[in-house]
């Protein structure tokens, strides 16, 4: 049956427990047909897979699509690409793999795009064959895309989710606009709810693995993303309905999940986890008591990191000397963290942590900084 799942792809597990998204053959077929038109590339191109094949986007657009169009797929292990874990990259190995492949298309996360630009700018890497670079899986700044285009990279940002068979919208050579995720593909209908949530219909999953069976293929999918259409019909995604962090490596993590683990430590009083659009997470922490030392906080964070996947771990800590209270405006009257206000308060510290020079100097070290 066309409605029976032929593929089960797992979500990132943003709350610690990944879900198996069941996709019927028709969902995959329609996505591929729409993608084939949208990329506006000839048949028979060569594609180097850079993301793991368990990633739905790479699986569909990096393997199925080239096969559909009579292309060539180059498969290397993550080690052969210089990629380790969710946030490690040996740029020299990656540069050699890119040059050797003579690839015509790539699918990159924002962090891999930045690495490619670094190699082109500082090490003279030239990829003459490259025709189409799809970027997704995390927030991409318009400045990054504009700088990539200035370097001659044919880069196109897109947007999608597993529950809709991956790609929903995509920039393309004939309609490309930095700061947007492009126009919806032909096989879906995208609308904006009254509260700004992006709703997708026309190509839905069959349900999650383990749920009571029910046919959801004709039901609209509430994406949890907030967005709007600009006056030219391009879709703009401007945030999450909830506080989901999407790293610049494309990994999803719920800050509340990590915060709950950190809050369980006797040394930690209050905590907020920050990292949306960034390569790693920073925790802003208040000590549980005045006599708690920075060293004790550091030990507590290190211990909790052992229980977290690498993309959810805390790489840096900003230790606040003042608690978050309603009096200083960092807490609501009923005890909820005012996330945007706290982040704004510590923006100078956060900017320092996320600056390229600082990150390169302190890479991989848990660092405690007082304020």
């Amino acid at each position: 049956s066309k409605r029976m799942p032929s593929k089960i792809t797992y979500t990132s597990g943003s709350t610690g427990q990944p879900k198996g998204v069941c996709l019927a053959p028709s969902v995959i077929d329609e996505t591929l047909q729409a993608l084939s038109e949208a990329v506006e590339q000839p048949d028979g191109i060569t594609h180097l897979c850079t993301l793991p094949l368990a990633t739905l986007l790479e699986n569909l657009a990096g393997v199925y699509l080239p096969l559909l169009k009579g292309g060539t797929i180059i498969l290397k292990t993550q080690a052969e690409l210089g990629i380790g874990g969710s946030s490690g990259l040996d740029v020299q190995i990656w540069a050699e793999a890119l040059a050797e492949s003579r690839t015509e298309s790539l699918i990159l996360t924002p962090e891999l795009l930045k690495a490619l630009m670094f190699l082109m700018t500082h090490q003279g890497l030239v990829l003459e064959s490259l025709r189409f670079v799809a970027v997704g899986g995390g927030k991409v700044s318009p400045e990054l895309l504009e700088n990539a285009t200035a370097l001659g990279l044919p880069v196109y940002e897109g947007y999608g989710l597993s529950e809709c068979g991956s790609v929903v919208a995509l920039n393309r050579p004939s309609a490309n606009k930095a700061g947007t995720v492009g126009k919806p593909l032909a096989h879906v209908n995208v609308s904006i709810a009254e509260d700004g949530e992006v709703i997708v219909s026309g190509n839905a999953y069959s349900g999650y693995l383990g749920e009571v069976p029910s046919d959801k293929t004709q039901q609209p999918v509430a994406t949890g993303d907030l967005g709007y259409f600009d006056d030219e019909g391009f879709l703009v995604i401007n945030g999450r309905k909830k506080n989901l962090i999407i790293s610049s490596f494309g990994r999803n993590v719920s800050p509340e999940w990590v915060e709950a683990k950190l809050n369980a430590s006797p040394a930690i009083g209050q905590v907020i986890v920050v990292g949306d659009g960034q390569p790693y997470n920073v925790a802003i922490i208040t000590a549980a008591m005045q006599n708690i030392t920075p060293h004790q906080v550091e030990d507590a964070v290190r211990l909790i990191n052992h229980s977290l996947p690498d993309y959810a771990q805390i790489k840096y800590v900003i230790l606040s000397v003042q608690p978050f209270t309603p009096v200083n405006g960092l807490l609501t009257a009923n005890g909820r963290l005012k996330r945007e206000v706290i982040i704004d308060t510590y923006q100078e510290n956060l900017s320092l942590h996320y600056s390229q020079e600082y990150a390169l100097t302190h890479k991989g070290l848990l660092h405690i900084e007082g304020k």
Side-chain angles (χ1 to χ4, degrees):
S1 170
K2 285 193 173 184
R3 292 188 177 184
M4 290 295 292
S6 63
K7 177 181 284 294
I8 298 171
T9 186
Y10 278 82
T11 60
S12 297
S14 58
T15 56
Q17 185 61 46
K19 294 179 179 179
V21 180
C22 301
L23 300 174
S26 60
V27 174
I28 296 170
D29 290 346
E30 290 186 25
T31 301
L32 290 174
Q33 292 296 334
L35 266 176
S36 180
E37 297 173 11
V39 297
E40 298 174 0
Q41 296 299 312
D43 293 351
I45 66 173
T46 298
H47 177 82
L48 172 66
C49 294
T50 56
L51 306 181
L53 295 188
T55 304
L56 184 61
L57 178 60
E58 187 72 76
N59 200 206
L60 264 64
V63 177
Y64 292 178
L65 184 60
L67 287 177
L68 179 69
K69 296 172 71 67
T72 300
I73 304 158
I74 301 175
L75 284 173
K76 293 180 178 290
T77 66
Q78 293 288 282
E80 289 171 332
L81 292 169
I83 299 172
S86 66
S87 57
L89 178 66
D90 185 318
V91 291
Q92 297 306 323
I93 295 176
W94 198 53
E96 291 170 9
L98 288 169
E100 179 190 21
S101 70
R102 300 182 63 83
T103 187
E104 294 172 275
S105 72
L106 289 169
I107 298 171
L108 302 179
T109 61
E111 204 66 21
L112 287 175
L113 174 61
K114 285 193 283 186
L116 175 57
M117 293 166 63
F118 171 84
L119 290 169
M120 293 175 66
T121 304
H122 298 287
Q123 298 195 14
L125 177 66
V126 177
L127 300 176
E128 294 179 349
S129 304
L130 206 54
R131 304 171 61 102
F132 196 98
V133 180
V135 183
K139 288 187 175 181
V140 189
S141 72
E143 292 79 14
L144 180 65
L145 293 174
E146 288 165 2
N147 291 338
T149 301
L151 286 174
L153 283 170
V155 60
Y156 303 97
E157 185 180 4
Y159 164 76
L161 61 160
S162 298
E163 287 83 353
C164 296
S166 192
V167 185
V168 166
L170 182 66
N171 280 289
R172 58 206 78 177
S174 65
N176 187 26
K177 190 173 184 180
T180 79
V181 294
K183 294 185 176 182
L185 301 189
H187 69 309
V188 291
N189 178 60
V190 178
S191 59
I192 309 298
E194 287 188 8
D195 63 357
E197 184 173 8
V198 177
I199 307 295
V200 182
S201 58
N203 202 50
Y205 68 128
S206 305
Y208 294 116
L209 187 66
E211 283 185 340
V212 176
S214 63
D215 184 14
K216 297 186 177 181
T217 57
Q218 302 304 312
Q219 297 179 15
V221 175
T223 66
D225 293 305
L226 298 173
Y228 63 91
F229 284 102
D230 70 7
D231 54 7
E232 295 179 277
F234 286 85
L235 180 62
V236 178
I237 303 295
N238 56 6
R240 293 290 298 175
K241 191 173 181 179
K242 294 184 179 179
N243 299 313
L244 191 68
I245 288 173
I246 305 178
S247 80
S248 59
F249 287 96
R251 298 307 298 262
N252 296 1
V253 60
S254 165
E256 291 93 340
W257 169 46
V258 182
E259 288 161 6
K261 285 183 171 288
L262 291 166
N263 273 321
S265 169
I268 296 173
Q270 299 160 302
V271 58
I272 181 170
V273 173
V274 183
D276 198 30
Q278 301 292 347
Y280 52 79
N281 294 327
V282 168
I284 305 169
I285 292 175
T286 68
M289 296 168 285
Q290 286 187 342
N291 61 347
I292 297 292
T293 66
H295 182 71
Q296 289 172 308
V297 173
E298 179 180 357
D299 285 346
V301 174
R302 287 188 189 277
L303 181 64
I304 291 156
N305 273 344
H306 289 312
S307 69
L308 293 168
D310 62 345
Y311 61 86
Q313 291 175 5
I314 303 301
K315 299 297 183 183
Y316 296 92
V317 171
I318 297 173
L319 189 59
S320 174
V321 296
Q322 60 172 338
F324 309 145
T325 69
V327 175
N328 60 24
L330 303 181
L331 202 69
T332 65
N334 61 355
R336 293 178 182 271
L337 296 171
K338 290 187 176 180
R339 292 181 178 275
E340 293 183 3
V341 179
I342 295 171
I343 292 170
D344 185 63
T345 301
Y346 290 90
Q347 192 57 55
E348 184 177 343
N349 304 64
L350 291 167
S351 296
L352 171 64
H353 281 297
Y354 286 133
S355 69
Q356 185 179 15
E357 295 79 12
Y358 191 90
L360 289 173
T361 305
H362 298 80
K363 187 177 182 183
L365 302 176
L366 177 65
H367 179 73
I368 306 290
E369 174 175 318
K371 177 180 171 77

